[in-house]
Amino acid sequence: MSANTTEDNAIRNIVIFDTTLRDGEQSPGASMNLQEKLSVAQALVDLGVDVIEAGFPIASPGDFEAVREIARLVKGSCVCGLARCVSADIDRAWEALKEAEDPRIHVFLATSAIHREFKLRMSQEEIIKRAVIGVERAKGYCSNVEFSPEDACRTEIDFLCQVVEAAIAAGATTINIPDTVGYTTPPEMTERIQSLFNRVPNIDEAVISIHCHNDLGMAVANSLSAVSAGAGQIECAINGLGERAGNCSLEEVVMALRTRRDIFQADTRIVSQKLVPTSRLVTKVTGLKVPRNKAIVGQNAFAHESGVHQDGVLKERTTYEIMSAESVGFVKNDLVLGKHSGRAALADRIKSLGFDLPADKLDAVFAEFKRLADLKKDVFDADIIAIVDRQLHSTDGQEDANADWQYISYEVNCNSQGAPSCTVRLAQHGLERVGVSNEGDGPIHAIFSAVKQIVGLPICLSDFKVEAVSVGDDAQGEVVMILTIADCSCNFKGQATSTDVLEATIMALVDAINRIQRDKAAVAQAK
């Protein structure tokens, strides 16, 4: 095996390959704009991720631009771009990656019988030839080349060994074994990885990687089985994002390795205290919440309600906790701040929550904190995080902030006896526009109709969620919605918080509309 080792020679260092920005973004509704991708990429560097798969450059101009900017600006991690074993894909990937400090081209080609027959219509000989040509072309651009035989876990083991041997001989430095459809089981995974080590003569010339999907809920277990069998790289995503049921969860597999080093004899260079802040950032930019009982980063991950559990933890934490909340980035005490709290206390709290704000942003957060404190008796950590997130991403992706729609005010009158009435005021280019609606089956419907009247786009609401940011009947409400527009397959996320959920709804709607406005292709189709 060619995986690196730590100072303790008995403990192997497992390379963490994060695909949040590529496979994770393919989760329905999880698309990110350029600035959001850059902020996530930097967070991954700070987290200690070894390889960042920044995107699939041939997929779209936006994907190409994102990979190119991440490669150009992000330092401290290898930046990787995905490509099929097609010359145009590989050339495009290198064009996006060429300014990276440490670039990697990741080429893939399906190998299973079902893919060969129904998708590629290629023979085994043709597959090997195409794989070799693809790896060699990528190798002509950079020394760091990864090859993935797609659907490897359903590929005949004899043929898989042939493909892997040929790819390594062609120059691949990492061989990834994807469980593309989340079908395999831990014993099968162990056997497959061991077979590769035993049967591929040049296997020591490459790092063996694993990429597991979670369709049967075994992505983390399968990844850990691969490590036990000798794999040196795990491909995963923050919050387990990814196609369908998602990928192996980065935070879960990392903490499993760290907590059970005695079993796996392996660890990673991940800064575990940054897991929760990174999870929150990805949640914020994608709008996809993690369940309260999500392992490691869920709100209830370290909560104890049972009296027996509470008594045990108070006497000795390890009676019911196998790791500390602080070790993954939760703060020890949920300090409650109020309208009499000062700037220094707020700044200290923000720092303990994992944020490093420049002075101008801190001033803006403090001003908003004071406004919120006048509306709420107590301001909790979750409220502070929401304020910080708002300020950090208030101008993300804006080509011309003056061209954006801006929320001014609203008025809604409704009762259970008749149709609601709604007046919404928005501004663009400094000009105020008013929308009035006297139809709908409730205030949300009326708001949507009034805003739609103002902006003149054929928008449709495909998803809508409201959730309390913190506790209490005066809590801020966070609204996350997904809009689509006629004849366009793209989803546009809108997100906002306010103590008034109707106001938050309008602000989230405006946020999504501004994203549409910035997408010239979507606007052209809409018109």
Side-chain angles (χ1 to χ4, degrees):
M1 289 169 288
S2 55
N4 296 326
T5 58
T6 60
E7 291 182 5
D8 180 352
N9 291 328
I11 302 297
R12 290 191 299 136
N13 180 62
I14 303 301
V15 175
I16 293 298
F17 176 113
D18 182 273
T19 188
T20 303
L21 294 171
R22 200 276 300 169
D23 201 326
E25 201 202 12
Q26 292 171 203
S27 302
S31 61
M32 305 174 226
N33 63 37
L34 176 58
Q35 195 59 41
E36 288 168 339
K37 288 184 177 182
L38 285 168
S39 65
V40 170
Q42 186 57 55
L44 294 175
V45 173
D46 296 340
L47 182 62
V49 164
D50 299 286
V51 184
I52 299 170
E53 189 167 50
F56 192 178
I58 197 71
S60 70
D63 233 31
F64 173 84
E65 180 67 18
V67 175
R68 184 172 65 179
E69 287 302 294
I70 290 170
R72 187 172 66 85
L73 298 174
V74 173
K75 309 299 178 185
S77 297
C78 171
V79 177
C80 177
L82 185 67
R84 294 167 297 183
C85 281
V86 175
S87 295
D89 280 35
I90 297 166
D91 296 345
R92 189 69 167 162
W94 177 246
E95 185 64 25
L97 291 167
K98 64 184 182 182
E99 294 185 66
E101 180 181 66
D102 181 11
R104 175 186 293 190
I105 298 177
H106 179 190
V107 294
F108 72 97
L109 181 64
T111 55
S112 67
I114 192 168
H115 279 251
R116 295 195 309 266
E117 179 180 355
F118 295 104
K119 188 176 80 170
L120 298 177
R121 303 187 185 278
M122 295 171 64
S123 67
Q124 290 186 354
E125 293 74 18
E126 289 172 316
I127 292 289
I128 291 176
K129 182 179 179 180
R130 177 75 65 84
V132 167
I133 291 172
V135 171
E136 288 178 341
R137 191 175 189 91
K139 195 73 173 181
Y141 287 123
C142 66
S143 60
N144 193 346
V145 174
E146 178 170 338
F147 173 73
S148 289
E150 186 185 5
D151 206 18
C153 290
R154 292 194 298 174
T155 299
E156 309 93 319
I157 189 62
D158 289 344
F159 180 52
L160 181 62
C161 288
Q162 292 177 44
V163 175
V164 168
E165 181 179 356
I168 294 173
T173 51
T174 299
I175 296 292
N176 180 48
I177 305 301
D179 184 17
T180 303
V181 292
Y183 181 70
T184 201
T185 64
E188 290 174 317
M189 181 62 76
T190 298
E191 182 181 4
R192 183 148 295 238
I193 299 300
Q194 287 177 341
S195 293
L196 291 172
F197 277 110
N198 291 333
R199 296 176 57 180
V200 177
N202 56 358
I203 197 73
D204 287 338
E205 297 175 24
V207 174
I208 300 305
S209 174
I210 189 71
H211 179 120
C212 295
H213 279 263
N214 205 39
D215 298 72
L216 293 176
M218 292 188 283
V220 171
N222 283 328
S223 299
L224 293 171
S225 294
V227 168
S228 293
Q233 174 177 287
I234 299 174
E235 305 200 356
C236 45
I238 299 295
N239 297 339
L241 291 181
E243 292 271 15
R244 304 181 311 280
N247 286 292
C248 172
S249 165
L250 183 148
E251 56 276 4
E252 292 177 24
V253 78
V254 163
M255 291 310 295
L257 289 173
R258 186 153 300 168
T259 305
R260 298 310 311 270
R261 279 169 51 128
D262 59 322
I263 296 295
F264 297 107
Q265 293 296 296
D267 202 348
T268 72
R269 71 183 193 96
I270 294 297
V271 182
S272 63
Q273 293 82 359
K274 293 184 180 292
L275 287 170
V276 169
T278 308
S279 169
R280 286 171 174 165
L281 172 63
V282 172
T283 294
K284 176 67 178 177
V285 300
T286 63
L288 299 179
K289 300 286 187 181
V290 298
R292 292 176 68 97
N293 64 336
K294 169 78 164 64
I296 313 301
V297 296
Q299 189 174 337
N300 291 356
F302 295 88
H304 303 277
E305 186 168 334
S306 162
V308 173
H309 284 217
Q310 290 174 342
D311 180 63
V313 169
L314 288 172
K315 290 175 178 174
E316 169 53 48
R317 179 187 61 78
T318 57
T319 54
Y320 287 102
E321 289 185 0
I322 59 173
M323 67 196 96
S324 70
E326 294 83 6
S327 72
V328 299
F330 284 108
V331 291
K332 188 171 184 179
N333 298 309
D334 193 9
L335 179 67
V336 178
L337 300 178
K339 63 181 180 180
H340 300 298
S341 300
R343 190 177 186 277
L346 179 64
D348 181 70
R349 194 65 186 146
I350 289 170
K351 186 175 181 179
S352 72
L353 289 168
F355 297 98
D356 185 14
L357 297 182
D360 61 330
K361 289 291 185 182
L362 181 59
D363 290 342
V365 167
F366 183 62
E368 191 171 348
F369 162 77
K370 283 294 189 180
R371 287 194 293 271
L372 181 62
D374 282 334
L375 299 172
K376 295 186 70 202
K377 179 181 177 182
D378 298 317
V379 179
F380 296 92
D381 285 351
D383 295 308
I384 295 169
I385 291 167
I387 294 172
V388 172
D389 282 338
R390 259 199 311 278
Q391 288 298 328
L392 286 176
H393 302 99
S394 60
T395 59
D396 283 356
Q398 294 190 19
E399 295 172 2
D400 181 2
N402 292 325
D404 281 349
W405 289 102
Q406 297 170 346
Y407 163 70
I408 298 176
S409 66
Y410 84 96
E411 181 179 338
V412 168
N413 294 297
C414 62
N415 56 58
S416 61
Q417 305 303 316
S421 63
C422 174
T423 301
V424 174
R425 288 179 170 81
L426 305 180
Q428 187 184 44
H429 299 298
L431 299 176
E432 184 176 317
R433 297 278 300 279
V434 179
V436 178
S437 173
N438 295 296
E439 59 182 17
D441 55 10
I444 301 297
H445 194 174
I447 284 170
F448 195 86
S449 297
V451 171
K452 190 174 178 179
Q453 182 186 116
I454 294 172
V455 300
L457 289 173
I459 52 177
C460 299
L461 184 64
S462 64
D463 196 14
F464 180 84
K465 298 185 182 75
V466 182
E467 184 175 339
V469 168
S470 57
V471 298
D473 54 10
D474 61 352
Q476 293 186 92
E478 181 179 50
V479 173
V480 179
M481 66 174 65
I482 302 294
L483 295 186
T484 59
I485 58 177
D487 301 320
C488 179
S489 60
C490 297
N491 294 317
F492 299 91
K493 179 181 93 274
Q495 196 166 3
T497 56
S498 173
T499 51
D500 178 344
V501 294
L502 294 182
E503 181 177 68
T505 298
I506 300 172
M507 292 163 63
L509 185 52
V510 169
D511 181 36
I513 289 167
N514 285 334
R515 289 172 184 264
I516 293 173
Q517 292 285 155
R518 297 174 205 139
D519 189 321
K520 303 297 191 297
V523 173
Q525 280 187 306
K527 293 180 177 178

